[in-house]
């Protein structure tokens, strides 16, 4: 069946294959959810909602139990995640651990009612109500982390959830559905798997009340367009092209490794990875060399091998994008100081690549690469660097790297993005709002903002007691 809730009914649908990116070979088949089955899943989510929203204390207890169940399954979930996604096992384990932490964080968070009266003889109270069945749609780069960032606040708010992973990475999420739904009432959380157009069907299903989507800007636009015609609320977490500005006082020995891994972790397949580095012209060669030396030393391999630091690109389509962007940049005069092409072995491996002298207008700089590739660009004054960093339609994150922290912060505050870091990148706490400006998204996830994003205000007026 194409659903993964222990209590879900069976359906009939065509299975599809899941490929291990470290070998390029299919290793599992997953059933697809057909239209009739999706109808029945959404109906079950609707039927489960009244009881789930009615009792916050029971909800909180169930979410704590779900967190414990996820923790008990870390090893199994992490191995599946590595097999289908490619990331090193240690990173897969930490992704699953974070899921349990997030479930607990939201299980303990409650919305705050407040008096919104204006002094007249009427008591006016703002309460927060759940919205109903939520469609949660996620991509393939962090299947478990992104699923958890959607299901934890939605469930804690009293909504029920139908979760759809990417067809490239359905396995760990299916298992997650089994593990979590054992601790939850039937219909509260269901995982549906299938190839597209399942995503569009779920997002536009008449029984869905809110869509929370993470993925590319192009697909986000389609989701927003459909939601507009249905007047349905939507939260969009989309792509990024984060810049890192290295200042002339940066201590490369202290920050070099962190800067490198901010670009290359998860094989660069992170919405808020560093995707462009701006380096002061007088230190350009030194910074390019430091990054290239690290790229050459990385242990690339199958994520199941504990010595691996960098796995493969997740899928053949994304590998072709990375190859095209690097080939184009080199044709325009860029130099691959490290890497530059595929690694000659089975699977979707691309050598960690540092590009010098890529023209600023080249797609490898202007577009989201989403792969193990980092262009480094020189700047001659800070205004130029800030203008270049902001010269994109994306606005997810950005960072500034230097020794004088006040000066670095003054530069960071000029970046047009949702989160800016100094001497770090992509470190997020569970309690912070997560959002992007410009085309990087709509709505706010994370922390209490994530909870309120799954609720709607509801006001009760009643006369004061005489
Ligand atoms: P994608 O947009 O191709 O697919 C994302 C999901 O949407 C998949 O589950 C897919 O099956 C589904 N989908 C496809 N068509 C749909 C439709 N018409 N309606 C509804 N759902 C549909 O993205 P991808 O290639 O899987 O992931 C990479 C992208 O995700 C990158 O752009 C990356 O920056 C972005 N991303 C953003 C964040 C963030 O939090 N901002 C986090 C991770 C990844």
């Amino acid at each position: 069946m194409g659903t993964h809730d222990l209590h879900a009914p069976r359906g009939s649908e065509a299975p599809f294959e899941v490929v291990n990116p470290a070998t390029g070979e299919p290793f599992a088949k997953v059933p697809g959810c057909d239209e009739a089955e999706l109808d029945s899943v959404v109906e079950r989510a609707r039927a489960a909602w009244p009881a789930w929203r009615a009792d916050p204390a029971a909800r909180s207890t169930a979410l704590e139990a779900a967190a414990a169940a996820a923790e008990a399954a870390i090893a199994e979930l992490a191995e599946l995640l590595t097999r289908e996604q490619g990331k090193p096992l240690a990173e897969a384990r930490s992704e699953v651990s974070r899921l349990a932490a997030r479930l607990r964080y939201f299980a303990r968070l409650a919305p705050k009612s407040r008096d919104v009266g204006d002094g007249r003889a009427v008591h006016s109270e703002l309460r927060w109500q759940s919205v109903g069945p939520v469609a949660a749609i996620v991509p393939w780069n962090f299947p478990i982390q992104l699923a958890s960032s959607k299901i934890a606040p939605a469930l804690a708010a009293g909504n029920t959830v139908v979760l759809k992973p990417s067809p490239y990475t359905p396995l760990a999420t299916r298992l997650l559905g089994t593990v979590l739904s054992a601790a939850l009432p039937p219909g509260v959380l269901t995982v549906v798997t299938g190839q597209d157009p399942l995503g569009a069907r779920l997002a536009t299903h008449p029984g869905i009340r809110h869509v929370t989507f993470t993925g590319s800007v192009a697909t986000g636009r389609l989701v927003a367009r459909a939601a507009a015609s249905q007047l349905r609320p939507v939260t969009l977490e989309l792509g990024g092209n984060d810049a890192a500005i290295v200042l002339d006082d940066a201590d490369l020995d202290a920050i070099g490794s962190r800067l490198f891994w901010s670009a290359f972790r998860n094989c660069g397949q992170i919405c808020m990875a560093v995707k462009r580095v701006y380096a002061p012209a007088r230190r350009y060669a030194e910074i390019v060399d430091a990054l290239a030396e690290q790229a050459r030393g990385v242990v690339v391999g199958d994520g199941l091998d504990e010595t691996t630091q960098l796995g493969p690109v997740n899928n053949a389509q994304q590998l072709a994008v990375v190859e095209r962007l690097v080939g184009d940049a080199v044709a325009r005069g860029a130099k691959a100081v490290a890497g530059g092409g595929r690694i000659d072995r089975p699977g979707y491996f691309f050598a960690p690549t540092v590009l010098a002298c890529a023209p600023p207008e080249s797609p490898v700089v202007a577009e989201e690469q989403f792969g193990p590739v980092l262009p480094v660009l020189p700047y001659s004054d800070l205004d130029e660097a800030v203008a270049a960093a902001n010269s994109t339609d994306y606005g997810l994150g950005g960072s500034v790297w230097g020794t004088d922290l006040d000066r670095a912060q003054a530069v960071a505050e000029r970046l047009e993005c949702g989160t800016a870091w100094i001497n770090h990148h992509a470190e997020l706490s569970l309690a912070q709002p997560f959002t992007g400006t410009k085309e990087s998204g709509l709505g706010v996830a994370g922390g209490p903002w994530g909870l309120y994003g799954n609720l709607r205000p509801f006001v009760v007026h009643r006369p004061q007691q005489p």
Side-chain angles (χ1 to χ4, degrees), residues 55-137:
D55 189 345
R59 241 178 13 241
S60 183
T61 305
L63 289 174
E64 297 268 1
E71 235 156 21
I74 287 179
E76 209 184 340
L77 283 163
E79 187 180 329
L80 261 188
L81 183 56
T82 290
R83 277 187 196 283
E84 66 180 347
Q85 203 285 332
K87 66 186 64 194
L89 206 44
E91 291 175 26
R93 282 191 208 108
S94 90
E95 185 170 338
V96 182
S97 309
R98 186 117 167 125
L99 155 85
R102 188 174 264 122
L103 283 168
R104 288 202 176 99
Y105 173 82
F106 280 102
R108 295 166 194 181
L109 205 60
K112 290 189 171 45
S113 300
R114 55 182 281 200
D115 181 351
V116 287
D118 59 4
R120 288 179 297 162
V122 176
H123 179 73
S124 311
E125 188 181 14
L126 167 67
R127 307 241 186 98
W128 292 92
Q129 290 197 339
S130 58
V131 295
V134 170
I137 301 175

Side-chain angles (χ1 to χ4, degrees), residues 137-141 146 164-167 196 199-200 203 213-216 219 222-223 237-240 271 368 370 396 434 440:
I137 301 175
V138 298
W140 46 259
N141 59 333
L146 295 170
K164 193 202 85 64
S166 164
D196 290 309
F213 170 87
T214 298
S216 62
T219 313
L222 296 176
V223 172
E237 294 170 31
L238 307 178
C271 54
E368 182 184 36
F370 227 61
L396 207 50
F434 177 64
S440 284

Side-chain angles (χ1 to χ4, degrees), residues 106-434:
F106 280 102
R108 295 166 194 181
L109 205 60
K112 290 189 171 45
S113 300
R114 55 182 281 200
D115 181 351
V116 287
D118 59 4
R120 288 179 297 162
V122 176
H123 179 73
S124 311
E125 188 181 14
L126 167 67
R127 307 241 186 98
W128 292 92
Q129 290 197 339
S130 58
V131 295
V134 170
I137 301 175
V138 298
W140 46 259
N141 59 333
F142 281 94
I144 298 296
Q145 181 174 313
L146 295 170
S148 80
S149 73
K150 300 195 172 315
I151 62 181
L155 294 178
N159 301 317
T160 54
V161 176
V162 180
L163 167 66
K164 193 202 85 64
S166 164
Y168 290 116
T169 52
L171 296 169
T173 313
R174 271 173 68 79
L175 176 59
L176 184 70
T178 306
V179 168
L180 298 187
S181 64
L184 301 171
V188 164
L189 170 68
T190 308
V191 174
V192 294
T193 53
Q195 292 179 302
D196 290 309
L198 179 60
R201 274 192 198 137
L202 173 59
T204 57
H205 196 286
I208 292 295
R209 295 278 181 85
H210 179 104
V211 180
T212 170
F213 170 87
T214 298
S216 62
V217 171
T219 313
R221 271 189 224 288
L222 296 176
V223 172
R225 205 171 286 153
S229 74
Q230 294 177 301
L231 294 177
R232 175 173 293 172
V234 63
T235 306
L236 301 175
E237 294 170 31
L238 307 178
N241 191 5
D242 293 7
I245 299 177
V246 181
L247 300 180
D248 51 11
D249 66 350
D251 176 353
L252 280 191
D253 291 337
I255 57 132
S257 167
R258 211 177 308 133
L259 175 60
F260 176 83
W261 284 109
S262 299
F264 286 90
R265 194 168 69 84
N266 206 36
C267 216
Q269 302 162 128
I270 305 184
C271 54
M272 44 170 46
V274 168
K275 292 176 181 141
R276 304 170 281 157
V277 168
Y278 291 94
R282 70 177 181 81
R283 297 190 62 188
Y284 184 69
E286 178 199 353
I287 291 167
V288 168
D289 286 347
L291 290 166
E293 192 184 322
Q294 290 186 77
R296 286 189 287 267
V298 168
V299 180
V300 181
D302 187 330
L304 290 176
D305 179 341
E306 294 278 4
T307 63
T308 291
Q309 293 178 295
L310 199 82
V313 172
N314 174 257
N315 56 75
Q317 199 183 339
Q318 188 58 32
L319 181 66
V321 169
V322 172
E323 201 168 23
R324 171 179 62 77
L325 289 173
V326 171
D328 170 89
V330 170
R332 291 168 190 256
K335 182 164 181 254
V337 189
R342 290 188 190 205
I343 298 177
D344 185 18
R345 58 179 282 174
Y348 308 139
F349 290 93
F350 198 91
T353 297
V354 174
L355 288 176
C357 306
E361 68 285 1
S362 55
V364 79
V365 177
E367 292 176 15
E368 182 184 36
Q369 315 106 13
F370 227 61
V373 177
L374 183 62
V376 185
L377 298 107
Y379 69 84
S380 42
D381 71 66
L382 266 175
D383 287 345
E384 178 196 337
V386 170
N390 290 336
S391 66
T392 167
D393 289 334
Y394 293 109
L396 207 50
S399 53
V400 181
W401 304 70
T403 303
D404 178 340
L405 298 182
D406 288 339
R407 178 167 167 251
Q409 178 154 350
V411 178
E413 287 176 8
R414 295 172 65 193
L415 296 177
E416 295 170 358
C417 56
T419 313
W421 294 266
I422 294 153
N423 295 337
H424 271 279
H425 203 101
E427 295 282 324
L428 298 169
S429 80
L430 292 175
Q432 79 166 83
F434 177 64

